[in-house]
Structures are given as C-alpha cells and as structure tokens.
Amino acid sequence: MEDQWRRETKPIDFEGGIFMPYSWTVGRVGSRFFIELRDNGRIMASACRKCKDIWVPPRMRCPVCFSEIDEDAWVEIGPEGTLRHYTVVRYDHKAQPIKPPFAYAIIDLDGATRGFTHLVYGTELEDLKSGTRLKPVFALDPQGNILDIEYFTPVGGQGG
Amino acid sequence: MKKVGVVGIAQTRFERRITDRNYADLVYEVTTGALEDAGMTIQQIDNVVTVSNDFLDGRTISSMAVMDACGAYGKNVSTVEGDGMFGVVYGAMRIWSDSFGTTLIVAHSKGSDGPSNLITNAMFDPIYHRPLGLDAISSAALQARAYMDRLGADPEDWARASVKNHGNAKKNPFAQLPLDLTVEEVLSSRPVADPLKLLDCSPISDGACAIILADEENAHESRQRPVWIKGVGYAAELHYLGDRDLSRPIALVEAAKRGYKMAGIGNPGREIDFLEVYDAFSYMEPLWLEGLGFCEAGEGGKLLRDGITELNGSMPVNASGGVLSAHAVLVAGLVRVAEVVLQIRGTAGNHQIERARIGLAHGINGPCGQSHCVVILGDY
Amino acid sequence: MGRRVAIIGFGQTHHSARRWDVNGLELIQEAVVRALDDAEMTLEEIDAVVIGNMDHFEGINYVDTWSVEGAGAFMKPIFKVTTGGTTGTTVAIAAYYHVASGLFNNVMAIGWEKNSESDTTGAIITCSDPVWDRFSYSGAIPSLAVEASAYMREYGVTEEDGARVTVRDRGNAMNNPYAHLREAVTIEDVMYSQMLTEPIKLLDICPRSDGAAAVIFSREDVAEKRCPKPAWIHAVSVRHDTTWFGDIDYTRLTSLEGASKEVFRIAGIKEPVKELDVCELYLPYSFAGLKWMESIGLCGPGEAPRFVADGHTDMGGTLPVNPSGGVLSTNCIGATGLLRVGETALQIFGRAEKRQVEGARLAMATGFGGCFWSDALIVGAGKPQ
C-alpha cells in the first residue's frame, strides 16, 4: 500500500498527547488497608463468611457472591508468602516503578486464599520458582499506596 | 429467533504503521469495501455499530471521529468499546430484536499512534495493580508461567503455534507478519518477559475491518450467499490477577458453553471444522483450545505437536495467520469473524482450508483473556 | 419492535461532588444493589450486564473487565458501550436490545462516573480532533453558548428566560434525596452567578458529580410476574450528527428532532404534550430547556420561553419536565442518561415519592452528547403494541 505518494512524500505526523492527572478515590475500605500498611506495616485482607475466601486487597463486597463483608471480618495476613507464578521482565516503559530486569509475581500471602500481585526484586531472579518463600521489603517513607511495599524478596535472601 | 448472517466483509492490509491514511480513512475504506462485497449501498444499511477505544485513539468519544466515515448520519448508531467480536454480538442482537434488518459493524485501531505499553497498563485497576507497571505483555507472561506451573505446558509447543501462524500468514495478503520460522528460532528469539520471547508476541498493528449482518429477508438483497451466525456466547471472570487461576480460562469455558448450546453443538471437536482464535501470544492458542473444549486441560500443546491445527490438519486453527501475524487491537476479533466467513464462502484463496462448513471465531477483552466471546458461523 | 421489554428495577447512588467513601467499583455496587432491591431480585437472576462511562474521566481502559466485581458480573456476559454524554441512554438502549433479542431474560444496565477524579472539561476537550480542532475547542460550555446565542437572537429570548429552567430543575431537586445539588435557586441567583461564556453563567450549567445508576430490563413474562407496574419500553431511537463541530447546524438540534420523530412514530404518539405525562430530558444547561423543547416538538419555534414561564413544565403543570431535578442538579456523566431513563421508570412504577407525577402513564427520556448527538426513549405503563 506504500505507493508512489509514500516514496515521494515525507508524511506529516502531528505530535501531541493527552496529559490528564487523576486523583483516584480509594474509599473507606481501601483507605483502611493503606493506613494499616503505611502506619503499622500490616497487610490486611477481608473474609467472606459465605464463600470462605480471604480477599486481598480487602473488598466491600465479595466479588463472587456479592454479599457484604463487615469491617470486623478483616484479618491480618502475611506478611510472608509463597510465590505462585512469576515472570522476569526484560523490557522497560514509563509506567514501571523500577528498572528491569525485575519480576512480577502472584504471591499466596500466608493466610489468604487469593493471590496478591506485586514486584520481586533484590535477588537472583533466575533462581525464582513456584514455591519460593517471599517477604515484603517496606518503603522507608510510606505514602499510603501499593508501593509502600517496595517489592518482595526471598526469605533469607539478599536485599531483605 | 430469526436467522442472521454475514453478507459483507472487508479488511485493510495490516501494517506496523500506516502513514497515508488516518483511522477515519481506514474506516471509510472498509465500509465501502464491505458494501461492495455485499453488493449493497449505504442506504440499505439501517443501523451501525462502531468499535473503538478512547485510549488507542488518544481522544475522548473516539467514535465521533468515524461517524462520517462509516455512513452513520441519520441512522441508529452505537459504539462498543472492546474487541470487535462484541460489536458483532451487539450488531446481531439489534437484528434479533426485530428492530433492524441490516447492521454494519466497523472497527479500527492504529496501534502505532500511541504508547502500547501505557495503554495496556491503563486496563489494570489504578489503585492496586497499575502502579506496579503491569501491562498486556507482563501479565500474559504470568499466565504463560501459570500454564507451565499448573498444567506442565511446554514453551516448545507454543513456539509451534508461532511457526504455524506466521507460516499461514504467508498465504494471507492482509497479514502483517508472514515469516518463515523454525521452533528453534522462536525459542532463541529475544526474551521479553519469561517465559515469553519476542516471537511469542503479536505485533503492534494499524488497520480496520467491517462486516455487514442481515436477516434472511435483507440477505436476499445481497449478492453474497450469507454465512449464518449459529451461536454466540460471552462471559467474564474476575479482574485482579491473583483472584484468578490463570491456567484455567473459566470465562472461556462459560462463553463456549453458551455458544455451543445456542448453535446446538454437542461435540465441538467433531462438529466444528476450523477455528480463528485470539492468539495475542503464542501460548494462548493451545490454552484457548483447552477452554473451548477441544481437548483436556494441559493437552493443548499436543494438538500443535500432532499437526492437527495446521492448515491441512484435521482441525485448522488460524489459517489466516491469526493475531500473531496482525494485531490491530479491537479490529482483530472482527477479523476472526471475517476470516471464518471467507473460509466458509470458499474464497480464502491461498489459505483456503479443505473442509470449512462450520467455523468458530473467538475474541477477548481485558488482561489474560478476562472476558471471552465466541461466535459460531456456518453455511446453513 | 420485537419482543416486549420492561424496566422492573432502578437503583441510584447518593450523588455528590465527591464520594470519598467509595472507589469506582464500590460506587457501581451501590447502584447495582439498590436496583436488585428495587426489583426484589437476586444477582443470580441477572443474566447479562451492559455498562458504560467515558474513559478519560477516570482513565480506566476496558471498564467492562475492570468493573466485573463492582457490576456483579462474575461469570456473566458483559460488555461496554460508550458514546460520550449519551452513554447512559446508550446503555439503556443496549439493554433493551439485549432482552428484545431473546438472548437474555434480565439484563442489568449500568452507567457511572466519578467525575471528581479528573478535570472534566480537560477530558471533554480531547473529544475534538487532535489535528484540526483541538487547538481551538474549549469544551462543552462554549459550543453550547454558540447554540444558545443563535437561539436567543432568532427569537428575542432573554437570559431570564433561560434562568427559569434552572430555577425549575433545581427546585425539583429538593424533592429528590439522591440529587447532588439540593438547594433551590432564584432567577436573581442565576443572573448574578459568574459569567462563564456569554450567555452561560455558572448556574445555567450542570455540575459534575460522582454517581452511578443501574436499571434492570426484563422480558415480558418476567416483568409481569415480578413487577406490579412494569415500565414498558415503547420506543428507542438514536441520531448522531457529523464528525466536525464546524459542520453542525447550531440553529437547530437536528439529532433530537430526528430521534424524537422516530420514537413518536414508533410509539404512535401524535400530540406529545397531550399524550405524555412526564419527561426526564437531558438538559445540560438552562437554554436547552427552551430550544430543545422545540426540537422535540413539545412547542413551536420560539414558543418554549412562554411555555416554561407559564408553568406548563412545572410539577402539577401540563407536562412536568425533570421532576428529579435533571442534569442541572446531578451530572455523573456516564450515568446521566440512564438516570433519565430510570427516573421515568420510577414515575411509571408510581414509586417516585415526593417527586411523583400523579398517574404518570407515558413518559419520555432523552440523552445528549458527542458532537450534538441525541437519544430518545418512550416508556409507558401500558404494554406497547
């Protein structure tokens, strides 16, 4: 399709973009999770009494059965957990919080029935495998967001 | 429920970057192309469904840009934001509701216009997932790993999907990446996000596709013999990756169940002749075949090893080259339908398969196939 | 028209400038749970969901999949439709087709927006073409000001005439516990509010809100069994205009003329003012409450200011418009059109409480958005032909 026109003409691209700042509402449930994380270094989950599922991040309603989860049905989980699946990322883009190579992992935090997705770093990434025990490395200056856990790293490994 | 069939199709050639046409131009090209294919005029179209995405187009109300180009002026028109397959389902619903007789569905995207990683990062929950920098590729890599961890899947088998589909693309004039590959070349291509290599991933593409649906009465106005929609099904599972068992596409199982029931299909392996599935990554082809019920969980790789899904195999998959060979997001699902139609018409040219009476088209929305849609088409 | 379809349940959030207590998913849940309660239905009975909003207000791509747990759509069919300001009515119309197609028995339509999360006008500006229009397009208010000026000049309409629409809608919102702005205003308040773009002042224009709406559409037999007074869908119609703002005819709202004509024809309505009992119109600014009344055909050209001033559109008038307080009182954009539809259903159910129009049996809802696009629906107590 790149015809005569394309050979003779340098096409014009109009460089632009959408630059939109957002301020996402975290809400009552999410705020409690992040305040516990920021102020006490605790990872909280919410338990659906009907489904017996322990959800992290905590939810206002069970995603499966839709019944309301009381604020007293919260439990502390982790902070350690077991690596379920991982990938080592070897390309970069602007939304990544750290420079590759690093890993993403789905982690079964101790006490939860559903997985928690986060970063794994500070270790020989080649040695990771399903079943590796992981612990969180907390940010020195927590802000009340998901990166208050900087990343997870193997228990007893370097960088902990 | 009355019969609804496809009477017109058109697609652009897919390219890494189309510089001589903007996306409205692409929509105009496939709209006029589909009308010509059907032997119809825009006056015979009584409603339009466009498919677009504000992130991909870099504009709010992205459908605004194509209202002129798809001939929607003065007509009932709506916009689906998601894979083109959902546009087909909605377009058919509008006819089944007895409100309309002929629906034009048109999808466009120019992946080359924007930053693909940032656009797919934006499909994750902004509070819990997005700050981690996840995108379509890294989340798919987690799914590929889950497939290995839970079901013993072998990346060598997926490499076969890449070899096969890029090979099929050589016979499809619309495909972007016709390639002669070997399994070793795929396995030794640049690691992107383990276990995925560069040649396990679909490309960024520009392009558009349109199809025209009609009920029996209006189909007579077309010069094409209609390819009938026999069944549709779609469903979604949970969003957060940790909430899901990524190795089990339960939403696809549900979508397929609904589609088969509507189409009266009891044994898909025997009753469906061929498939066009959404292989955005090579591992998806075997995983989706498992979800669609063509084999047991963990057995998808065997179908590739045994050559069953080859162009001349007993159940060809992605004879067109699939999404691995051209991945205009949103458009790709609509292309799956168009390719099934080409095969059933017997006009697929060099990539025509021998027995093509009942075909299945498949599309996905969201990370790791969170939402699936199947459309089953046939010649009767 | 195919199979008969009726609305049997409606839920909405308590709308406000910012719902700090809930994130987007939880906001959606609030409306969904209320709709289920209203229909006395369980989530298991809902067999498909259709959802809509505008991407750049919250910056979420693929809202259909992101929202699954908010929408109660786990393992259910769900997809997203979106058409700018008309998104809410687009969702309603899509839900109608879902059920009318025969594929589903009960379909949940959801519209939502958390406009507090971004710059509403900043996002709207990006609807204009990036190459040709965006450098000069400054959002919805100035383009509406162009059509208002043209209308005022044509018929000698005054700013006070426009202000009366705000006064009516904001007064009605006092009866609606869910409305965002619940303070009555006077003509003077409107006249002395900050000038934004001649002739539009702050109180002539809608707010931006956080809110969600959910409406349950059911097939005939379910509706009859489950709802004492189902709100039957009599007609739906959509008209879009051209792509470019420069191609729009600012002296007429041709899309609303076209959509209204089509729904009146389908529903067999010949004299809308006499036959309709109540309207919930998408009036995003005060002058729309004049000019667009004429586009719908409720008044002749230039007659709307008199019609409104004489109280015909007030509660207790010939044809009450916006008992809910309308868009001028609540505007969570993706939900706004669906709120119009839900409010008309509530009128037919006879459950609108303090904002009930006595004996309402036939109602009209409209949507507005995009590049001067319009949607129209007719909802009634009697079964459609």
Side-chain angles (χ1 to χ4, degrees), chain C residues 271-317:
Chain C
E271 295 178 274
V273 174
K274 276 191 195 157
E275 295 175 59
L276 292 170
D277 299 310
V278 57
C279 289
E280 278 286 341
L281 307 180
Y282 195 122
L283 306 175
Y285 78 120
S286 60
F287 296 93
L290 304 173
K291 181 186 161 183
W292 299 1
M293 298 282 287
E294 299 166 16
S295 307
I296 295 170
L298 299 173
C299 313
E303 291 173 5
R306 185 81 262 151
F307 193 70
V308 169
D310 286 350
H312 289 296
T313 63
D314 292 345
M315 293 300 282

Side-chain angles (χ1 to χ4, degrees), chain B residues 7-80:
Chain B
V7 297
I9 54 173
Q11 52 185 313
T12 60
R13 203 182 102 193
F14 295 93
E15 298 176 43
R16 176 61 180 82
R17 179 147 178 82
I18 292 175
T19 53
D20 62 341
R21 285 153 290 158
N22 65 23
Y23 47 72
D25 295 335
L26 297 179
V27 164
Y28 183 72
E29 181 179 328
V30 293
T31 299
T32 50
L35 288 168
E36 194 179 327
D37 182 61
M40 293 178 122
T41 64
I42 193 72
Q43 285 73 28
Q44 288 170 283
I45 302 294
D46 61 9
N47 80 112
V48 180
V49 174
T50 66
V51 175
S52 63
N53 174 298
D54 295 2
F55 283 83
L56 280 161
D57 286 4
R59 85 185 266 181
T60 290
I61 327 180
S62 50
S63 58
M64 228 170 94
V66 301
M67 285 296 111
D68 290 355
C70 68
Y73 188 82
K75 298 187 198 315
N76 277 275
V77 55
S78 197
T79 300
V80 169

Side-chain angles (χ1 to χ4, degrees), chain A residues 59 85 87 90-91 104 114-115, chain B residues 132-133 135 149 192 194 242-243:
Chain A
R59 317 296 166 86
H85 312 301
T87 177
R90 302 183 187 278
Y91 62 95
Y104 288 117
R114 299 278 175 157
Chain B
L132 305 174
D135 62 6
D149 290 343
V192 174
D194 307 347
D243 291 348

Side-chain angles (χ1 to χ4, degrees), chain B residues 45-48 67 71-78 94 99-100, chain C residues 83 86 89-90 93 97 236-242 248 253-266 295 366-377:
Chain B
I45 302 294
D46 61 9
N47 80 112
V48 180
M67 285 296 111
Y73 188 82
K75 298 187 198 315
N76 277 275
V77 55
S78 197
R94 290 159 70 100
S99 304
F100 301 104
Chain C
T83 57
T86 42
T89 38
T90 290
I93 290 168
Y97 290 132
V236 303
S237 178
V238 173
R239 286 292 181 275
H240 287 191
D241 211 306
T242 58
I248 305 291
L253 187 55
T254 50
S255 62
L256 187 56
E257 290 173 15
S260 302
K261 266 199 196 95
E262 184 163 79
V263 290
F264 292 150
R265 176 179 58 74
I266 296 169
S295 307
T366 63
F368 172 80
C371 200
F372 286 79
W373 298 343
S374 299
D375 293 354
L377 298 92

